[in-house]
Amino acid sequence: MKIIHFCPNDKFIKYSVEKFNASKESISDFYIVENGKGKTVLGKNIHYVTKLELIKLVIFSKIKGDVAIFHSLPNLFCMIVLLLRKIKTKVWIGWGYDYYRHWGKDIYIDYKVKNSSKNKIIELCIKFLNPYKRFDYFSPVLKSEFDIFKAILNARFKYVDWHYGSQKTIIKNNTDLVEKELGSNVMVGNSLDPSNNHYDVLKRIDSNRENIILPISYGGSKSYKSWLFNKLREHDCETQKLEEFLDSSQYLHILASCNVLVLNHIRQQGVGNVALALSLGITVYLNKSSPLYLELRSKGFYIFETDSISNESDLLRLSYNEIERNKELSIQHFYCEVEDTKRLIEMVKNEKVV
């Protein structure tokens, strides 16, 4: 069985390439949309294409396979799904942003994102054409999101459980960090995307008492970056800004220099970051409206609410016993290396949930 993968970039595809290339039940080809920057050599079956090249390949049926897997669903891929007639079975691996844009809730606090007329027209077209009905299977980040978005998107897809990799694999490749004591820095956010609601928490953290690390290497826009930097200057908030994209090992080393991670997203985001932080014993603050906060608390994890942050007091850290409990739960929930790739392949072969 031949699987065709459509990828919006090569930032987070490494583990997908490794998992599917290791499969004995199928062969894979990966089509990655060229972003004009340096390409990562991931394997011989990797094809970098421009948006126009990809559209032409699909229109003229140059891409052939039995199954198409879409790694997230940006606007371009919504079009590709509708044009892709020759490959009948389609799987959508959701990244969060691609389905939460239909959530209908306001996810921004201080900065309001303006939706351009062009984007409004595109969204109306997507809603009318409904590419989501073309999918047979959908894998959201959290299982609890499946029924919610199946109803919102008016789709018929079935649930499939697939993830890019367990935290065990990442930590296993960086065992030196597990034995080291955590640093005392505070990491705020996981990208430049405005949904991080950076300023809402940064204005409540005293940068004279806490050393703040701000990862802003991807996402967002120039206008949001300018707005955020101006706000930080007005508030005399000093931060260490990470503007270069880091691989998983580099990121993990910086994360281990912290003992607090603050993610103020209202929607689910940064699951991998949170899982790594909890595995290392880092104290995590999440927005209480986030589905991720609700899911982790329901599983027994000790998580603080971002609403509790105040510049009148220091950031709270978990106790030793609470940290150890979070580590135990992390092993239980994040370290499982199930054969999800094999199971996914079996599902699409049999066209039934197993």
Side-chain angles (χ1 to χ4, degrees), residues 14 19 47 51 73 113 123 131 140 149 168 179 190 203 217-218 241 257 265 274 299 303-304 315 322 330-331 334 347:
K14 177 183 176 183
K19 290 177 76 170
H47 310 281
K51 292 179 180 180
L73 208 61
V113 175
E123 287 176 5
F149 286 96
K168 182 179 180 180
E179 299 168 2
N190 70 329
K203 67 186 179 185
S217 61
Y218 68 95
K241 301 173 182 64
S257 75
H265 309 90
V274 172
K299 290 178 177 177
I303 308 289
F304 288 136
L315 285 169
E322 290 169 336
S330 296
I331 293 172
F334 304 136
M347 286 179 70

Side-chain angles (χ1 to χ4, degrees), residues 258-273:
C258 307
N259 59 12
V260 174
L261 172 66
V262 181
L263 297 182
N264 197 28
H265 309 90
I266 291 174
R267 75 167 178 84
Q268 170 274 112
Q269 196 169 334
V271 175
N273 307 67

Side-chain angles (χ1 to χ4, degrees), residues 43 48-49 55 86 94 100-101 104 135 140 150 166 223 225 243 253 268 270-271 281 283 322 339:
Y48 282 90
V49 292
I55 291 170
K86 296 292 184 180
Y100 269 96
R101 63 179 178 171
F135 285 100
K150 182 176 182 178
S166 78
S223 59
K225 186 176 183 179
E243 301 190 59
H253 276 75
Q268 170 274 112
V271 175
T283 297
E322 290 169 336
E339 294 183 341

Side-chain angles (χ1 to χ4, degrees), residues 68-83:
I69 295 182
F70 288 79
H71 296 267
S72 84
L73 208 61
N75 292 336
L76 171 66
F77 288 178
C78 288
M79 183 195 305
I80 297 298
V81 171
L82 296 168
L83 295 172

Side-chain angles (χ1 to χ4, degrees), residues 136-251:
D136 302 281
Y137 298 96
F138 174 45
S139 176
V141 179
L142 303 177
K143 187 175 182 180
S144 59
E145 297 169 328
F146 178 79
D147 289 333
I148 296 170
F149 286 96
K150 182 176 182 178
I152 289 175
L153 299 173
N154 190 26
R156 297 187 291 265
F157 43 55
K158 302 169 188 174
Y159 176 74
V160 58
D161 185 19
W162 190 88
H163 300 282
Y164 286 92
S166 78
Q167 309 315 311
K168 182 179 180 180
T169 304
I170 299 173
I171 291 178
K172 186 169 63 178
N173 295 333
N174 298 274
T175 51
D176 58 313
L177 294 179
V178 180
E179 299 168 2
K180 286 185 178 180
E181 187 176 342
L182 294 173
S184 58
N185 298 325
V186 175
M187 183 177 286
V188 176
N190 70 329
S191 72
L192 185 60
D193 193 283
S195 63
N196 280 268
N197 296 310
H198 298 99
Y199 185 60
D200 178 60
V201 290
L202 287 171
K203 67 186 179 185
R204 292 185 276 126
I205 299 176
D206 189 346
S207 60
N208 292 318
R209 289 186 291 190
E210 305 282 5
N211 186 40
I212 301 168
I213 295 177
L214 198 63
I216 50 171
S217 61
Y218 68 95
S221 62
K222 289 181 179 179
S223 59
Y224 176 67
K225 186 176 183 179
S226 176
W227 177 87
L228 178 61
F229 284 15
N230 286 334
K231 285 291 185 181
L232 296 182
R233 280 192 292 270
E234 289 173 11
H235 196 67
D236 292 326
C237 181
E238 295 293 331
T239 61
Q240 177 187 340
K241 301 173 182 64
L242 304 179
E243 301 190 59
E244 294 296 323
F245 189 79
L246 306 171
D247 62 30
S248 59
S249 180
Q250 291 172 317
Y251 175 80

